[in-house]
Amino acid sequence: MAKVVILGSASAIADEKHENTHLAIVGNETTLIDCVGTPTVRLRKAGIELSSINDLIVTHFHPDHVSGVPLLLMNMWLLGRQEPLRIYGLHHCLERLEDMMASYHWDNWPEFFPVAFHRLPERARVTVLQKDDYRVYSSPVRHLVPTIGLRIEGQSRGRAVAYSCDTEPAPSVIDLASGADVLIHEASGGGVGHSTAEQAGAAAHEAEVGRLLLIHYPTLGVDLSELVTQARHTFEGEVAVAEDLMEIEI
Ligand SMILES: [Zn+2]
């Protein structure tokens, strides 16, 4: 049975209990959604084998979403990986990721495994991955740089999980989340390129999802139960705060 694992739930400033927001889809193979911190440590905590990861989706080029990529690649290489790794994202993000790796002279790392970059078109409901047990679709959302949100559909149980990624309220988020069992929506606060918990609730209401999980929230000096209360102003369904290592079956 495939599942979505919350590997981190904090917005840009992580703390002891909340790593920056990133996720994994675990099935027969694992797909990472963004990569931060010291990836091997967090993956070990989640019980995910490094060798099960064949695909990495990068949502956008901000440090709190992609800063762990060079270390992930280096660790895979040092552990003797030979299998190819596929990385998916918008051109804006992949171009910068390649530049970042070039700064580390990865072309000089002996016997480095193949990495294939797949540029996703900047349009709605693009099919990113079709596995036996889950599928992933992307749509552009509204953030400070080109960014994608995702919809993940499990094949055996037919459950759908949408992830807003970093965004201000946008019709594409409603579309991605339409009728989903769970919407994982950011709640970093109002302002350009982000959303409040109340706006996350409004998206959950409009998309008619079953459950709302708030993520990418500020951890310093914020009362998390207050975030849930705010989301309940606009969404009548179940609301909770995503916590690190939480799992959602799909
Ligand atoms: Zn961002």
Side-chain angles (χ1 to χ4, degrees):
M1 206 77 75
K3 62 188 178 182
V4 174
V5 181
I6 309 286
L7 293 173
S9 53
S11 56
I13 303 173
D15 70 9
E16 300 88 335
K17 289 186 179 165
H18 305 84
E19 182 56 273
N20 293 136
T21 295
H22 64 308
L23 316 172
I25 314 168
V26 180
N28 296 329
E29 293 174 79
T30 300
T31 299
L32 284 187
I33 301 168
D34 291 336
C35 183
V36 299
T38 308
T40 48
V41 174
R42 180 51 41 137
L43 290 165
R44 200 174 302 139
K45 268 193 179 168
I48 298 171
E49 293 286 339
L50 216 54
S51 59
S52 72
I53 301 166
N54 291 324
D55 301 278
L56 164 65
I57 300 170
V58 283
T59 59
H60 65 295
F61 197 77
H62 274 163
D64 57 325
H65 291 262
V66 296
S67 63
V69 175
L71 192 55
L72 176 76
L73 298 181
M74 189 193 210
N75 284 181
M76 284 175 158
W77 169 60
L78 292 172
L79 289 167
R81 185 184 180 102
Q82 295 293 314
E83 298 74 31
L85 179 77
R86 300 172 288 262
I87 305 182
Y88 308 79
L90 297 174
H91 174 71
H92 179 275
C93 185
L94 294 187
E95 184 183 43
R96 284 159 179 76
L97 215 53
E98 284 186 82
D99 287 350
M100 185 159 75
M101 292 310 299
S103 304
Y104 289 112
H105 293 286
W106 71 331
D107 48 328
N108 289 335
W109 298 359
E111 295 176 49
F112 189 70
F113 58 88
V115 174
F117 289 97
H118 294 267
R119 281 166 162 74
L120 300 172
E122 216 162 328
R123 57 179 167 74
R125 291 255 192 173
V126 169
T127 302
V128 183
L129 282 175
Q130 292 200 48
K131 303 279 188 194
D132 291 343
D133 45 356
Y134 59 85
R135 292 180 182 176
V136 186
Y137 306 90
S138 70
S139 294
V141 293
R142 280 191 199 151
H143 191 39
L144 305 165
V145 297
T147 301
I148 47 171
L150 301 169
R151 182 183 178 93
I152 303 150
E153 295 181 352
Q155 294 304 293
S156 57
R157 298 167 121 227
R159 288 169 62 92
V161 171
Y163 170 45
S164 69
C165 198
D166 293 12
T167 187
E168 57 192 59
S172 56
V173 176
I174 312 297
D175 175 62
L176 278 174
S178 176
D181 295 276
V182 181
L183 169 60
I184 304 170
H185 199 294
E186 76 123 296
S188 33
V192 180
H194 286 290
S195 301
T196 61
E198 201 159 334
Q199 288 170 325
H205 170 78
E206 205 175 326
E208 299 181 351
V209 304
R211 187 154 71 102
L212 172 64
L213 268 185
L214 300 170
I215 202 166
H216 202 275
Y217 45 80
T219 53
L220 302 175
V222 169
D223 178 358
L224 296 181
S225 64
E226 178 56 27
L227 286 182
V228 171
T229 304
Q230 285 170 20
R232 287 198 177 123
H233 290 158
T234 45
F235 180 55
E236 59 292 337
E238 189 187 333
V239 183
V241 169
E243 295 287 354
D244 293 26
L245 304 180
M246 191 182 265
E247 298 184 353
I248 307 159
E249 288 190 352
I250 54 170

